[in-house]
């Protein structure tokens, strides 16, 4: 992947160490230096720094290095260099608070909760690694280095795509705890020996669960439809918990897996080594956890992505042709066509790369969105009726803001892959593509005849990335998984608890997002190291990535903060005990924090040397100067209408990643597949239906 790349990690932020670790997993040679030491940059290709947390001398050295243009310099800071907040040494917890990320986590009737892992640092590390790989590709191909800026503030904002649509319309965003705002039943329920997450998303899943529970009360008209169940969820959940509380967690999970309903236990981080899928996939890390406490570097024993030849090594080498070939081998002009092909962003780091995306909602679409912003041509394959998320509310002109945010700069086609002609059309596209990324259930493509062996025959040079909840090699080969279940089964919910100690999921789809980010990095790294004709398989288990993040958090605990209610919202304070808060009360006799405004309480805390920031609500984020100037962007659809978009959280100085357009509506077009579509540039890329 990145063999031969030499990395110097020279910064105090967690994201610096984590990004270096990721690059090391991809084959780079990494040296982690003391951030306070003097460094020589000779012999390195990349230097990763955190200038906002550096000494003045180190900051001056970083500035000089950036100006030299001799190395790839990746600077990971809390906010963008143009931000009014740039001078502050903001922590992950403070960034979660001031971006609205914290406001989305917690129970409806409770206080906002900080995510129990340094989410913005981890997210910044993953995006930084992907941006470094992209810059390395440019360096190898075109011979010039460039600077990269990565912002924790922007990473947090990028994770808010579920909530930004309502914020765009100035609607209030409510915390939902472990529920789902549009599905029910979907919650954490008590069992005989713990907790279980049960998540239903279709009427068929509800019908099967209702039959399994066998409780006549569930036939009530209040639960007859999805909308009714969501509206009456407070009445529904007690019936589900009355059933689950009579079973063990394992019994609940086994029954749900049998009927195709996503479910999983809330796994304590200290017992992660006993979780069957984690133990199967990461025996070294499991043994290390079993042998003692989770250490500072235990996380490094977990690989957040896996890569293999498109087939096994022996078959790959024995069958590899002397010259690259595709399914459309009769097209002798393929290589020339690849070199001449221009993506939507000609200046991008991935110009000339074609990507096929088959997925929905968050993970695969996130990957495709970033590959497109980096310059690749991304073709999104949707079902005939289009992805369900197209129709979610709110939106405009019949398209949801959520879908628009997650699918910028892509070409959309609609195919019914159960129809032979549509499947052949997809195969022809794959023969002319560089990357396939999908987040279907494991084995779904294989059932259509597109297993790894077939994909290798179609295109020996293809990079195929599969994203799933538990991976291809799994203790749960048939278990469906949602983000909520993965948060539960990776330790993330155990680490994220409210003031009463109750486990709660991150409001943002943390497992989905982190899984997509890991896939993005692995794909770009494969594009850097790929030799012509050497197809690769990238396997992403969302549980792997989330567990990697949780083990880092457990082994490298951050300072705790307190959430304090005020008259106009909440404040997040780095006050570690109630005694310090009582000191604040004594400064205003007869008054309590609840009677103060956030600004007043923050001023009083800071006068006592206690750092504090407001917990910004999502609707307030729309008025934040940094968000408006450095994060929010605007794009257009094919009809010329304007759409709010979010800029990339990483900025490459010479090959910038850009968001520009919103996907068009799907229009019915006849698939006319014939043998004449053999060459790269003759395959029609249009919205497709077959009558």
């Amino acid at each position: 992947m990145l063999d031969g790349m030499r990395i110097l990690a020279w910064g105090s932020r967690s994201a610096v160490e984590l990004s270096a670790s990721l690059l090391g997993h991809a084959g780079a040679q990494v040296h982690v230096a003391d951030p306070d030491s003097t460094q020589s940059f000779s012999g390195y290709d990349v230097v990763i720094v955190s200038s906002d947390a550096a000494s003045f001398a180190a900051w001056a050295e970083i500035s000089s290095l950036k100006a030299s243009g001799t190395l790839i310099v990746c600077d990971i800071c809390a906010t963008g260099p143009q931000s009014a907040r740039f001078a502050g040494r903001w922590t992950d917890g403070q960034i979660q608070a001031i971006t609205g990320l914290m406001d989305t986590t917690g129970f409806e009737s409770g206080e906002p909760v900080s995510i129990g892992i340094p989410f913005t640092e981890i997210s910044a590390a993953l995006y930084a690694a992907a941006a470094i790989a992209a810059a390395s590709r440019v360096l190898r191909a075109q011979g010039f280095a460039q600077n990269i800026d990565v912002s924790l503030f922007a990473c947090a904002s990028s994770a808010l795509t579920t909530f930004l649509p309502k914020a765009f319309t100035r609607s209030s965003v409510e915390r939902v705890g472990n529920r789902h705002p549009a599905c029910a039943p979907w919650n954490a329920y008590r069992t005989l020996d713990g907790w279980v997450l049960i998540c239903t998303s279709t009427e068929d899943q509800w019908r099967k669960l209702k039959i399994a529970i066998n409780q006549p009360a569930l036939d009530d008209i209040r639960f007859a439809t999805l909308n009714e169940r969501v509206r009456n969820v407070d009445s529904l959940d007690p019936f589900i918990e009355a059933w689950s509380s009579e079973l063990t967690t394992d019994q609940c999970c086994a029954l749900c897996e049998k009927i195709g309903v996503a479910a999983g236990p809330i796994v304590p981080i200290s017992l992660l080594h006993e979780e069957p899928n984690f133990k199967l996939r990461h025996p070294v890390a499991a043994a290390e956890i079993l042998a003692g406490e989770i250490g500072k570097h235990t996380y490094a024993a977990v690989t957040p992505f896996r890569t293999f030849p498109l087939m096994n090594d022996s078959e790959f080498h024995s069958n590899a042709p002397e010259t690259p070939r595709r399914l459309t081998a009769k097209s002798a002009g393929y290589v020339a066509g690849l070199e001449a092909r221009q993506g939507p962003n000609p200046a991008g780091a991935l110009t000339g790369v074609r990507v096929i995306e088959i997925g929905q909602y968050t993970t695969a679409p996130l990957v495709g969105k970033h590959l497109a912003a980096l310059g690749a041509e991304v073709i999104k394959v949707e079902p005939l009726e289009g992805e369900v998320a197209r129709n979610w509310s709110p939106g405009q002109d019949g398209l949801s803001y959520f879908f628009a945010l997650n699918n910028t700069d892509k070409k959309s086609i609609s195919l019914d892959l159960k129809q032979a002609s549509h499947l052949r059309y997809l195969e022809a596209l794959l023969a002319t593509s560089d990357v396939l990324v999908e987040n279907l259930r494991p084995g779904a493509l294989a059932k259509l005849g597109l297993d790894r062996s077939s994909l290798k025959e179609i295109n020996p040079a293809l990079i195929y990335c599969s994203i799933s909840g538990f991976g291809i090699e799994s203790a749960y080969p048939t278990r469906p998984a949602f983000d909520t279940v993965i948060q539960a089964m990776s330790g993330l919910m155990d680490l994220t608890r409210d003031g009463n100690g109750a486990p709660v999921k991150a409001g943002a789809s943390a497992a989905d997002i982190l899984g997509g980010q890991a896939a993005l990095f692995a794909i770009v790294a494969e594009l850097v190291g790929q030799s012509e004709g050497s197809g690769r398989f990238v396997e992403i288990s969302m549980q792997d990535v989330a567990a990697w993040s949780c083990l880092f958090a457990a082994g490298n605990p951050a300072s705790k903060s307190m959430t304090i209610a005020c008259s106009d919202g909440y404040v997040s304070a780095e006050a570690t005990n109630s005694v310090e808060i009582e000191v604040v009360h004594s400064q205003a006799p007869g008054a309590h924090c609840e009677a103060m405004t956030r600004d007043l309480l923050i001023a009083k805390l800071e006068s006592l040397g206690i750092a504090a920031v407001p917990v910004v609500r999502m609707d307030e984020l729309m008025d934040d100067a940094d968000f408006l100037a450095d994060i929010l962007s605007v794009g257009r659809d094919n009809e010329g209408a304007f759409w709010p978009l979010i800029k990339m959280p990483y900025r490459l100085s010479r090959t910038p990643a850009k968001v520009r357009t919103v996907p068009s509506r799907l229009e019915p077009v006849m698939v006319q597949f014939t043998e004449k579509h053999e060459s790269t540039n003759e395959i029609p890329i249009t919205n497709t239906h077959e009558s």
Side-chain angles (χ1 to χ4, degrees):
M1 297 174 81
L2 300 178
D3 295 345
M5 180 185 290
R6 296 155 299 178
I7 309 288
L8 172 63
W10 185 48
S12 59
R13 286 200 172 277
S14 299
V16 174
E17 175 187 335
L18 286 167
S19 60
S21 176
L22 287 162
L23 293 160
H25 277 302
Q29 301 172 26
V30 175
H31 174 63
V32 179
D34 182 345
D36 296 322
S37 63
T38 302
Q39 291 299 314
S40 168
F41 306 111
S42 176
Y44 293 107
D45 303 298
V46 180
V47 178
I48 311 172
V49 297
S50 50
S51 65
D52 65 339
S55 66
F56 179 78
W59 178 87
E61 190 71 17
I62 291 167
S63 299
S64 176
L65 188 61
K66 287 181 177 180
S68 71
T70 57
L71 301 175
I72 296 170
V73 182
C74 181
D75 193 358
I76 306 174
C77 296
T79 65
Q82 307 304 319
S83 167
R85 298 182 173 102
F86 183 73
R89 295 194 177 191
W90 302 88
T91 66
D92 166 83
Q94 290 173 326
I95 295 295
Q96 287 194 40
I98 65 176
T99 58
L101 192 60
M102 183 176 173
D103 184 55
T104 66
T105 301
F107 295 99
E108 182 179 5
S109 58
E111 63 188 23
V113 176
S114 184
I115 300 172
I117 61 173
F119 179 82
T120 67
E121 294 271 4
I122 294 168
S123 180
L126 286 158
Y127 279 135
I132 289 168
S136 175
R137 187 173 189 269
V138 173
L139 178 61
R140 295 185 183 189
Q142 302 182 49
F144 63 82
Q146 57 187 309
N147 299 325
I148 303 165
D149 287 307
V150 181
S151 158
L152 272 62
F153 190 102
C155 290
S157 301
S158 296
L160 293 169
T161 52
T162 304
F163 305 97
L164 284 171
K166 279 194 171 183
F168 289 156
T169 62
R170 296 290 181 170
S171 301
S172 61
V173 175
E174 302 295 336
R175 290 183 291 277
V176 296
N178 296 320
R179 288 174 171 170
H180 191 286
C183 297
W186 184 302
N187 208 345
Y189 303 96
R190 292 187 182 275
T191 66
L192 279 174
D193 57 354
W195 295 82
V196 64
L197 265 293
I198 299 176
C199 307
T200 64
S201 61
T202 68
E203 290 297 334
D204 184 57
Q205 290 171 351
W206 164 244
R207 180 183 59 82
K208 290 178 179 178
L209 182 63
K210 186 171 67 170
I211 291 171
I213 294 175
N214 192 26
Q215 168 58 261
L218 296 179
D219 291 322
D220 193 299
I221 193 172
R222 294 175 298 169
F223 313 138
T225 67
L226 177 59
N227 288 338
E228 287 298 319
R229 290 194 298 278
V230 171
R231 186 177 298 113
N232 295 289
V233 68
D234 287 336
S235 299
L236 173 62
D237 275 347
F239 288 115
I240 307 299
E241 189 160 274
W243 166 75
S244 66
S245 61
E246 295 181 352
L247 302 173
T248 66
T249 304
D250 285 345
Q251 287 173 330
C252 283
C253 291
L255 189 150
C256 287
E257 182 172 359
K258 183 178 180 180
I259 62 177
V261 171
I266 297 178
V267 177
I269 189 68
S270 61
L271 299 179
L272 189 60
H273 62 285
E274 297 181 358
E275 202 290 307
N277 199 57
F278 181 87
K279 184 165 59 175
L280 171 69
R281 294 177 62 84
H282 305 287
V284 173
E288 189 173 331
I289 298 169
L290 178 62
E293 294 184 0
I294 297 170
K296 180 177 176 62
H297 298 292
T298 302
Y299 79 96
V302 174
T303 306
F305 57 88
R306 298 183 179 187
T307 64
F308 312 90
L310 197 52
M311 290 294 291
N312 62 63
D313 285 307
S314 60
E315 182 170 350
F316 178 83
H317 289 300
S318 63
N319 291 343
E322 293 183 4
T323 57
R325 62 178 292 275
R326 307 272 177 151
L327 179 68
T328 54
K330 291 179 288 183
S331 174
Y334 170 73
V335 174
L338 174 63
E339 293 171 350
R341 190 168 69 224
Q342 293 295 306
N345 179 8
L350 301 185
T351 296
V353 172
R354 176 179 279 178
V355 178
I356 305 300
E357 173 202 311
I358 308 176
Q360 56 184 347
Y361 304 127
T362 300
T363 48
L366 181 148
V367 178
K369 166 186 175 175
H370 284 270
L371 294 175
L374 286 164
E377 175 192 17
V378 178
I379 302 167
K380 181 180 179 70
V381 177
E382 301 183 49
L384 293 184
E385 66 277 10
E387 183 180 322
V388 172
R390 279 180 172 267
N391 303 315
W392 287 359
S393 181
Q396 64 184 35
D397 298 330
L399 188 70
S400 75
Y401 287 127
F402 175 87
F403 185 86
L405 286 168
N406 283 286
N407 293 283
T408 45
D409 303 300
K410 302 175 186 177
K411 300 175 181 178
S412 282
I413 65 173
S414 55
L415 296 174
D416 178 0
L417 298 182
K418 294 180 181 179
Q419 294 189 39
S421 61
H422 289 220
L423 187 59
R424 290 185 66 202
Y425 188 94
L426 175 61
E427 290 174 351
L429 283 176
L430 290 170
T432 68
S433 298
D434 305 284
V435 176
L436 166 64
V437 57
E438 51 93 357
N439 66 335
L440 306 175
R441 186 179 295 193
L445 276 185
K447 289 181 180 178
L448 296 171
L450 295 177
D451 57 15
R452 288 166 60 185
S453 177
S454 299
L455 289 170
K456 179 192 171 185
E457 181 180 350
I458 291 169
N459 183 345
L462 186 69
I463 296 171
Y464 166 35
C465 177
S466 172
I467 309 171
S468 62
F470 302 108
I472 303 300
E473 179 193 15
S474 172
Y476 315 117
T478 62
R479 182 180 292 190
F482 289 111
D483 168 86
T484 304
V485 171
I486 299 302
Q487 289 198 41
M489 295 181 66
S490 62
L492 182 51
M493 283 184 63
D494 178 50
L495 293 175
T496 306
R497 293 178 179 267
D498 74 352
N500 297 316
V504 61
K505 72 178 183 69
S509 300
D512 281 345
I513 292 166
L514 295 173
Q517 289 181 273
L520 172 67
F521 167 60
I523 289 169
V524 179
E526 285 290 0
L527 286 169
V528 174
Q530 183 188 44
S531 59
E532 189 66 42
S534 57
R536 302 289 293 176
F537 174 61
V538 177
E539 181 205 21
I540 301 292
S541 157
M542 289 157 51
Q543 187 191 35
D544 287 355
V545 188
W548 174 78
S549 304
C550 291
L551 289 172
F552 176 81
N556 300 270
S559 59
K560 298 294 183 180
S561 61
M562 296 186 69
T563 304
I564 309 168
C566 298
S567 62
D568 59 347
Y570 292 89
V571 162
S572 178
E574 293 185 1
T576 57
N577 56 64
S578 58
V579 174
E580 292 179 318
I581 302 304
E582 288 302 321
V583 173
V584 177
H585 290 167
S586 68
Q587 302 298 307
H592 294 279
C593 296
E594 292 86 348
M596 302 182 192
T597 65
R598 289 176 293 179
D599 288 344
L600 178 58
L601 178 57
I602 290 170
K604 287 187 172 293
L605 287 169
E606 290 183 342
S607 71
L608 298 170
I610 300 172
V613 294
V615 178
V616 173
R617 297 189 304 271
M618 284 298 303
D619 60 293
E620 293 177 319
L621 187 63
M622 296 299 104
D623 297 318
D624 183 273
D626 285 339
F627 180 82
L628 295 174
D630 201 39
I631 308 300
L632 191 63
S633 183
V634 66
R636 284 190 171 187
D637 60 23
N638 286 351
E639 287 72 43
F642 289 99
W643 289 76
L645 301 177
I646 301 298
K647 296 176 185 176
M648 294 294 100
Y650 45 87
R651 311 290 162 83
L652 288 83
S653 60
R654 297 186 63 179
T655 58
K658 300 177 180 178
V659 291
R660 296 168 299 280
T661 63
V662 170
S664 61
R665 297 189 185 93
L666 286 173
E667 301 291 343
V669 179
M670 176 77 76
V671 171
Q672 296 285 352
F673 182 88
T674 67
E675 292 300 328
K676 73 177 182 179
H677 296 310
E678 339 181 303
S679 70
T680 304
N681 298 315
E682 288 177 345
I683 297 175
I685 308 302
T686 58
N687 298 323
T688 58
H689 278 236
E690 184 176 64
S691 60

